[in-house]
Amino acid sequence: GNSVTQMEGPVTLSEEAFLTINCTYTATGYPSLFWYVQYPGEGLQLLLKATKADDKGSNKGFEATYRKETTSFHLEKGSVQVSDSAVYFCALSDNDMRFGAGTRLTVKP
Amino acid sequence: EAEVAQSPRYKITEKSQAVAFWCDPISGHATLYWYRQILGQGPELLVQFQDESVVDDSQLPKDRFSAERLKGVDSTLKIQPAELGDSAMYLCASTANRAGDTQYFGPGTRLTVL
């Protein structure tokens, strides 16, 4: 079945550092791929998405490229801020939505 | 901006009691999902509705959980009786279409069973 594996956390960075959170997937079809962010005590918010191979999703300085050859959708940001501290979930959607376990990011001033 | 509404935001109950959660999806969204998110994990699907019909409830513990969406709009998820292991965040999401579309999530209901 479909599944998502993402980098285990927690990840702690200093402000303005470069961020990468790895995500790989297994799918039998051609899923859409997503990154969601969850702030403490809240639901998930869509951060970005890509619907087909080689698409790049971007939002708020975050980027991820749908790589079919490596079955990956790694999340990157060039310069993180304290306000980016949250849990990040990689997900795929085919007939249903599958989420990774989440990666907690803490950004220190 | 349209949002998915959920209530209550927090619920504390004793084991063996009944609890109910409510969700109102984004207007016009035909597909509604209930997820359970245990602390430190990703959401896991409990039930999916297309309009008023259940599309997938294979992961719903039907001996104690029930869900309905009678008019194809808002939905209720019930647990009776609650058990200690049910403590989790219960998330509702909706999409305009079914497969592959972006799911929009509500703020969730944090359930604590004592």
Side-chain angles (χ1 to χ4, degrees):
Chain A
N2 295 347
S3 66
V4 174
T5 302
Q6 67 179 99
M7 173 177 166
E8 289 187 15
V11 174
T12 302
L13 296 173
S14 297
E15 209 165 21
E16 300 184 2
F18 185 85
L19 169 71
T20 300
I21 301 178
N22 290 337
C23 172
T24 57
Y25 68 90
T26 302
T28 53
Y30 300 93
S32 296
L33 299 175
F34 304 82
W35 277 99
Y36 283 87
V37 58
Q38 186 174 35
Y39 298 99
E42 298 185 10
L44 278 66
Q45 300 175 24
L46 177 67
L47 182 58
L48 53 85
K49 72 176 195 180
T51 58
K52 62 183 187 298
D54 299 326
D55 269 3
K56 178 186 282 187
S58 61
N59 185 28
K60 299 180 181 179
F62 291 89
E63 293 183 341
T65 301
Y66 191 143
R67 302 285 188 199
K68 192 169 184 296
E69 64 276 12
T70 54
T71 61
S72 65
F73 193 55
H74 304 322
L75 182 68
E76 296 182 337
K77 186 175 185 182
S79 177
V80 293
Q81 305 300 312
V82 173
S83 58
D84 294 327
S85 298
V87 181
Y88 292 81
F89 291 94
C90 184
L92 70 80
S93 180
D94 194 350
N95 289 317
D96 57 12
M97 181 80 89
R98 298 297 175 103
F99 290 87
T103 302
R104 179 175 298 279
L105 170 67
T106 301
V107 181
K108 296 188 173 180
Chain B
E1 181 177 304
E3 295 180 343
V4 176
Q6 287 189 249
S7 67
R9 290 293 306 275
Y10 305 92
K11 179 69 178 178
I12 300 173
T13 191
E14 294 185 345
K15 63 181 181 179
S16 79
Q17 296 299 303
V19 292
F21 313 131
W22 177 80
C23 172
D24 192 12
I26 292 173
S27 178
H29 279 194
T31 310
L32 184 149
Y33 309 80
W34 283 103
Y35 289 89
R36 177 170 57 188
Q37 184 183 20
I38 295 170
L39 192 64
Q41 299 182 19
E44 295 181 329
L45 181 69
L46 291 174
V47 62
Q48 176 184 341
F49 289 92
Q50 180 71 20
D51 300 310
E52 68 277 8
S53 301
V54 173
V55 172
D56 183 356
D57 63 356
S58 57
Q59 300 304 310
L60 189 70
K62 298 181 189 60
D63 56 334
R64 298 185 300 106
F65 285 65
S66 64
E68 60 183 19
R69 194 185 184 198
L70 294 176
K71 297 183 179 178
V73 181
D74 58 335
S75 176
T76 302
L77 177 70
K78 297 179 181 178
I79 309 174
Q80 182 174 15
E83 296 181 352
L84 296 177
D86 296 331
S87 295
M89 175 80 91
Y90 290 83
L91 296 167
C92 179
S94 69
T95 65
N97 300 306
R98 190 185 300 186
D101 205 357
T102 301
Q103 294 189 17
Y104 296 91
F105 284 80
T109 296
R110 168 71 68 188
L111 173 66
T112 302
V113 182
L114 303 175

